[in-house]
C-alpha cells in the first residue's frame, strides 16, 4: 500500500488542517487514523518547543493545527507542520499497539441499561446474546474525541452490528450509556442528547474533573468491553447522573 | 464583593478560554466577545484575559456587599442602580456603594448587542480548571461548579489596585476607541469578514457565493455553541449532483467562526462552546478580528458576510490588538493621552 497523500490547507485565519488522503477516499481507515495520531503526537512535541502552535485536534483522517495569528501567518505555520505531516504519512507503523494504553470497560448490557439492544438484535437478525458477544469481542481504537468532553469515537465496530442512528435523537441519554452507530461505538460521558443506539451502560466514570487526567480515554488508546451481570448502579438511581 | 439576587437569562464566569484540552473533546469556552472581556478587565484593573461575568440579553441583579469599583463593557443591557437611578453604561468604570442594587433588565436599543461583561479589580476570583476559569456548561466544570450564576452566589475580585494611573478623577472615563466602536453597539452594522472554507472542492464555489449574497437572520435556538442562520437554502444553491447527495465528511476538528452547512441548508456559525469536531461541510470561516461582533449577535439580528483573504484578516487582527494595547497603555499612564483617546472618539 502506498503512503497516503498529504494535504495541508488553511482553516480560517488561525488554523491549518492536515488531511491524510488514503486510497479509499472517505472510508474510515484504521491505518490512516494511526498516522493521524502519530502526527498529532509529533505536533504536541513541537508545541512544547514552540508555543505559537495550539493543541492539535485529531479527526478520523485529519489534524487541525491552531496557531497564534498575532505571532505567525499561515505560511509560517505550514512550514513547521508540513515536514511532520510528510513524515507521519511515510512512517513505518509499529506492528502492535501499546498494551499499557488498553482500557477495559465493564458493561451491563440490555435491560434498562441498554434499551435499544432488542431493536438492534431485530435489525441485524442476531440474538441479543450474540450482539453482546460480538460487541465485546474486538479491541477498539480511539479514533478521536469530540461531541463532549471525554466522548471517544471507537471503532471499527464489526460489520454485523452496523445499524444507522435513530431517525430522531433522544433528548437525553443517561451518562455511561454504551452506544453504537454505523461502524462505531462510544460511551456517553455526560447526560446529553444523542442519536446512537443504546445497548448497555457502564458504572465507570468516563469523565471526572477531579482526576489528574479527567478523560478515561485519550487519543490513540485502545479499548475492550467486558460484559458484567446485573444492572448498573445508575439504572437503580438517578438515571442521568454518571 | 457582589451577591447574586437574580441570575438573569444566562450569566456565567468566562475568561479568555480553555484551548488546551480540545483533544479531549473540551470546548474552548471563554467570552463570546473577547474584545469586550479585555476592555472590562482593562478598566477594572485586571489582566486582559482574566475571569469576568458574561451576561446575556437580560443580565443578573446584584447586591453590592462592600463598596468598590467595577467595570462594564460590551452591550448596554440597560444597567442601573435601583436606589439612585444612576445608569450603568458599558465602557466605563463605576464606583458602587455598599448595599446598592445593580440591575440589568435588558437592552433598550434594538440595535444593541447581546452580551455584557462585568470586570472586577484583579479579575473575578475563581479557581482555574484545566487552565481556565471559564464555565464549561456541557462538561459541568469551571466557573461556579460549571453552571450559570444562581441567587446567593458571591463574586469578588482577586484584588490589586487597578491601573496605576487611574485616579478617582478618571473613574468616570469612557473606553472608546477611535474608528472602532465597541462590538456591543449594533453588531450588524458591518458585514462579518470570512475566508473561504476548506470544503469548496466538495460543495462548489456557488455555495460560498450564495452565503455572501444573502442577508441572514439569527434564528431562535442560537446560543454560545453557535448561531443558527435563517435565509436561503444553501444546499439548494449547489450544483445538481452535490445538491442531491449533500456530502457528510469524516469528523474533523473545527474552530470558533467555522460556518457549517448541514443537509437542511441552514448554515451554523460556531461560537466558543462549539463541539471540538464536526462533519458538516465548511463553506467559510469568520476571521478572528470579527469574532467579538459574532458574539454580540442575538436571535433576530441580521448579518451579512464579506469575503477577505488571510493577509487582510491578519492585518485587521494585528491592528485590533495594537488598538487595545494603546488603550491599556493610556490607562496605565497618569500623564498619558487617555482623555484625548476617548475625546477623539466623541466620548
Amino acid at each position: 500500500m502506498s503512503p497516503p497523500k498529504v494535504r495541508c490547507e488553511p482553516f480560517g485565519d488561525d488554523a491549518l488542517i492536515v488531511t491524510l488522503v488514503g486510497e479509499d477516499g472517505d472510508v474510515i481507515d484504521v491505518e490512516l487514523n494511526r498516522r493521524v495520531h502519530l502526527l498529532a503526537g509529533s505536533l504536541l512535541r513541537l508545541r512544547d518547543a514552540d508555543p505559537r502552535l495550539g493543541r492539535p485536534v485529531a479527526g478520523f483522517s485529519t489534524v487541525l493545527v491552531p496557531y497564534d495569528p498575532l505571532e505567525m501567518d499561515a505560511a509560517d505555520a505550514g512550514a513547521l507542520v508540513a515536514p511532520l505531516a510528510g513524515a507521519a504519512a511515510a512512517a513505518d507503523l509499529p506492528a502492535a499497539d501499546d498494551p499499557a494504553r488498553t482500557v477495559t470497560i465493564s458493561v451491563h448490557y440490555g435491560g434498562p441499561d441498554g434499551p435499544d439492544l432488542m431493536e438492534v438484535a431485530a435489525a441485524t437478525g442476531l440474538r441479543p446474546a450474540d450482539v453482546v458477544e460480538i460487541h465485546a469481542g474486538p479491541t477498539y481504537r480511539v479514533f478521536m474525541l469530540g461531541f463532549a468532553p471525554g466522548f471517544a469515537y471507537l471503532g471499527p465496530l464489526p460489520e454485523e452490528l452496523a445499524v444507522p442512528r435513530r431517525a430522531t435523537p433522544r433528548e437525553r441519554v443517561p451518562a455511561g450509556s454504551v452506544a453504537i452507530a454505523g461502524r462505531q461505538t462510544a460511551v456517553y460521558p455526560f447526560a446529553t442528547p444523542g442519536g446512537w443506539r443504546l445497548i448497555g451502560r457502564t458504572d465507570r466514570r468516563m469523565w471526572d474533573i477531579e482526576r489528574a487526567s479527567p478523560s478515561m480515554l485519550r487519543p490513540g488508546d485502545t479499548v475492550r468491553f467486558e460484559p458484567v451481570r446485573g444492572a448498573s448502579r445508575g439504572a437503580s438511581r438517578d438515571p442521568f447522573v454518571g | 464583593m457582589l451577591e447574586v439576587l437574580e441570575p438573569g437569562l444566562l450569566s456565567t464566569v468566562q475568561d479568555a478560554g480553555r484551548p488546551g484540552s480540545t483533544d479531549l473533546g473540551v470546548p474552548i469556552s471563554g467570552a463570546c466577545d473577547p474584545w469586550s472581556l479585555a476592555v472590562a478587565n482593562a478598566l477594572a484593573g485586571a489582566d486582559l484575559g482574566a475571569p469576568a461575568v458574561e451576561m446575556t440579553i437580560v443580565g443578573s441583579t446584584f447586591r453590592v456587599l462592600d463598596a468598590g469599583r467595577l467595570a462594564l463593557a460590551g452591550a448596554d443591557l440597560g444597567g442601573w442602580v435601583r436606589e439612585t437611578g444612576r445608569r450603568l453604561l458599558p465602557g466605563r468604570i463605576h464606583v458602587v456603594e455598599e448595599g446598592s442594587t445593580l440591575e440589568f433588565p435588558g437592552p433598550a436599543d434594538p440595535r444593541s448587542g447581546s452580551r455584557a461583561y462585568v470586570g472586577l479589580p484583579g479579575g473575578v476570583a475563581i479557581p482555574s480548571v484545566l487552565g481556565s476559569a471559564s464555565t464549561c456548561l456541557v462538561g459541568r466544570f469551571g466557573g461556579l461548579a460549571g453552571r450559570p450564576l444562581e441567587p446567593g452566589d458571591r463574586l469578588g475580585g482577586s484584588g490589586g489596585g487597578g491601573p496605576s494611573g487611574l485616579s478617582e478623577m478618571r473613574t468616570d472615563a469612557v473606553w472608546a476607541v477611535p474608528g472602532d466602536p465597541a462590538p456591543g453597539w449594533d453588531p450588524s452594522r458591518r458585514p462579518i469578514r470570512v475566508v473561504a472554507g476548506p470544503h469548496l472542492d466538495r460543495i462548489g464555489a456557488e455555495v460560498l457565493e450564495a452565503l455572501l449574497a444573502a442577508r441572514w437572520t439569527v434564528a431562535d435556538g442560537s446560543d454560545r455553541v453557535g448561531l443558527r442562520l435563517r435565509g436561503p437554502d444553501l444546499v439548494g444553491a449547489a450544483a445538481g449532483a452535490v445538491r442531491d447527495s449533500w456530502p457528510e465528511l469524516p469528523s474533523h476538528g473545527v474552530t470558533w467562526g467555522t460556518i457549517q452547512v448541514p443537509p437542511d441548508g441552514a448554515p451554523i456559525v460556531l461560537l466558543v462552546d462549539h463541539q471540538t469536531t464536526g462533519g458538516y461541510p465548511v463553506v467559510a470561516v469568520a476571521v478572528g478580528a470579527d469574532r467579538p461582533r459574532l458574539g454580540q449577535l442575538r436571535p433576530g439580528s441580521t448579518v451579512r458576510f464579506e469575503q477577505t483573504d488571510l493577509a487582510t484578516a491578519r492585518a485587521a487582527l494585528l491592528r485590533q490588538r495594537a488598538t487595545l494595547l494603546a488603550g491599556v497603555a493610556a490607562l496605565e499612564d497618569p500623564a498619558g493621552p487617555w482623555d484625548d483617546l476617548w475625546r477623539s472618539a466623541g466620548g
Side-chain angles (χ1 to χ4, degrees):
Chain A
M1 192 174 172
S2 57
K5 292 188 180 62
V6 177
R7 286 173 56 178
C8 185
E9 323 161 87
F11 194 111
D13 64 344
D14 66 355
L16 301 177
I17 192 158
V18 179
T19 307
L20 301 183
V21 185
E23 286 163 356
D24 292 334
D26 286 345
V27 174
I28 291 172
D29 176 329
V30 171
E31 190 201 304
L32 220 52
N33 186 257
R34 291 181 72 190
R35 294 187 187 284
V36 158
H37 290 293
L38 202 62
L39 173 57
S42 58
L43 284 164
L44 268 181
R45 287 188 292 279
L46 175 61
R47 178 177 184 257
D48 288 339
D50 191 339
R52 298 176 302 169
L53 292 173
R55 198 151 187 106
V57 180
F60 285 112
S61 54
T62 55
V63 183
L64 181 86
V65 192
Y67 60 86
D68 182 349
L70 295 172
E71 299 292 335
M72 63 165 81
D73 65 16
D76 298 333
L80 287 172
V81 170
L84 297 184
D92 291 325
L93 291 170
D97 294 312
D98 179 359
R101 296 196 60 183
T102 297
V103 178
T104 302
I105 295 174
S106 301
V107 183
H108 304 268
Y109 285 98
D113 289 315
D116 296 337
L117 180 65
M118 302 307 283
E119 199 180 291
V120 170
T124 55
L126 296 163
R127 293 180 307 159
D130 296 331
V131 173
V132 172
E133 192 182 326
I134 295 168
H135 184 259
T139 298
Y140 298 101
R141 310 195 65 80
V142 176
F143 285 135
M144 52 182 268
L145 286 91
F147 179 64
F151 185 100
Y153 292 82
L154 307 171
L157 181 72
E159 181 90 61
E160 309 96 282
L161 293 189
V163 287
R165 293 168 200 215
R166 290 164 58 96
T168 308
R170 285 185 170 86
E171 281 183 23
R172 227 156 146 74
V173 169
S177 291
V178 176
I180 61 174
R183 295 294 304 278
Q184 298 184 80
T185 181
V187 185
Y188 282 87
F190 296 94
T192 56
W196 293 27
R197 313 273 176 171
L198 312 183
I199 60 170
R201 193 167 175 198
T202 182
D203 287 321
R204 295 195 68 175
R205 290 180 68 101
M206 304 306 292
W207 178 270
D208 181 353
I209 197 66
E210 302 300 329
R211 285 196 298 247
S213 179
S215 184
M216 170 93 66
L217 301 178
R218 305 181 65 86
D221 285 351
T222 50
V223 177
R224 294 189 62 89
F225 292 107
E226 182 182 70
V228 288
R229 290 174 185 282
S232 71
R233 287 199 300 271
S236 53
R237 33 165 231 230
D238 179 350
F240 295 121
V241 179
Chain B
M1 177 80 80
L2 302 175
E3 181 181 352
V4 178
L5 298 180
E6 296 287 338
L9 201 54
L10 178 68
S11 296
T12 55
V13 174
Q14 300 294 344
D15 62 10
R18 184 181 286 112
S21 300
T22 45
D23 56 339
L24 302 180
V26 178
I28 53 172
S29 307
C32 270
D33 171 358
W35 170 270
S36 298
L37 172 78
V39 170
N41 279 325
L43 287 168
D47 290 341
L48 299 184
V53 176
E54 179 183 277
M55 306 191 292
T56 314
I57 303 177
V58 178
S60 311
T61 300
F62 301 100
R63 176 184 293 130
V64 179
L65 298 182
D66 352 279
R69 193 163 65 188
L70 57 79
L72 291 174
D76 180 1
L77 301 185
W80 65 306
V81 180
R82 187 191 287 167
E83 289 77 13
T84 62
R86 183 160 64 88
R87 282 278 276 130
L88 297 169
L89 291 169
R92 291 172 194 235
I93 298 163
H94 300 280
V95 175
V96 290
E97 301 301 322
E98 183 178 334
S100 58
T101 311
L102 316 180
E103 292 185 329
F104 297 89
D109 187 331
R111 292 171 305 171
S112 169
S114 58
R115 293 188 171 91
Y117 295 83
V118 182
L120 296 178
V124 175
I126 289 282
S128 204
V129 180
L130 296 178
S132 164
S134 286
T135 309
C136 177
L137 292 169
V138 62
R140 293 161 210 165
F141 63 85
L144 289 159
R147 56 163 175 77
L149 302 193
E150 286 178 358
D153 286 338
R154 291 183 173 200
L155 301 161
S158 297
S164 54
L166 210 62
S167 68
E168 284 300 306
M169 290 290 287
R170 292 181 172 192
T171 52
D172 61 349
V174 179
W175 178 282
V177 172
D180 195 3
W185 184 81
D186 192 5
S188 302
R189 72 187 174 277
R190 281 188 285 125
I192 298 288
R193 290 165 289 185
V194 302
V195 294
H199 302 136
L200 293 186
D201 58 338
R202 308 292 292 272
I203 58 175
E206 308 83 56
V207 181
L208 175 59
E209 283 160 25
L211 176 85
L212 299 172
R215 174 180 291 275
W216 300 90
T217 303
V218 177
D220 292 342
S222 299
D223 55 15
R224 285 175 45 88
V225 173
L227 300 172
R228 297 173 175 279
L229 302 184
R230 210 168 52 230
D233 170 15
L234 283 188
V235 171
V242 180
R243 191 171 61 225
D244 298 340
S245 173
W246 190 246
E248 188 178 334
L249 301 153
S251 288
H252 52 83
V254 290
T255 60
W256 178 9
T258 294
I259 305 179
Q260 301 176 322
V261 184
D264 70 3
I268 299 168
V269 188
L270 300 182
L271 299 186
V272 282
D273 280 355
H274 70 80
Q275 295 176 15
T276 53
T277 59
Y280 296 135
V282 175
V283 60
V285 184
V287 305
D290 286 350
R291 284 174 179 164
R293 277 194 299 123
L294 274 182
Q296 287 291 355
L297 296 167
R298 55 168 152 154
S301 298
T302 58
V303 58
R304 298 188 71 108
F305 298 99
E306 177 182 278
Q307 191 173 5
T308 188
D309 56 58
L310 287 173
T312 311
R314 182 157 187 261
L317 197 65
L318 289 167
R319 203 163 48 241
Q320 194 177 68
R321 187 73 187 173
T323 306
L324 183 64
L325 295 181
V328 173
L331 280 179
E332 298 285 352
D333 179 2
W338 171 241
D339 288 352
D340 290 345
L341 189 67
W342 70 264
R343 282 213 182 96
S344 67

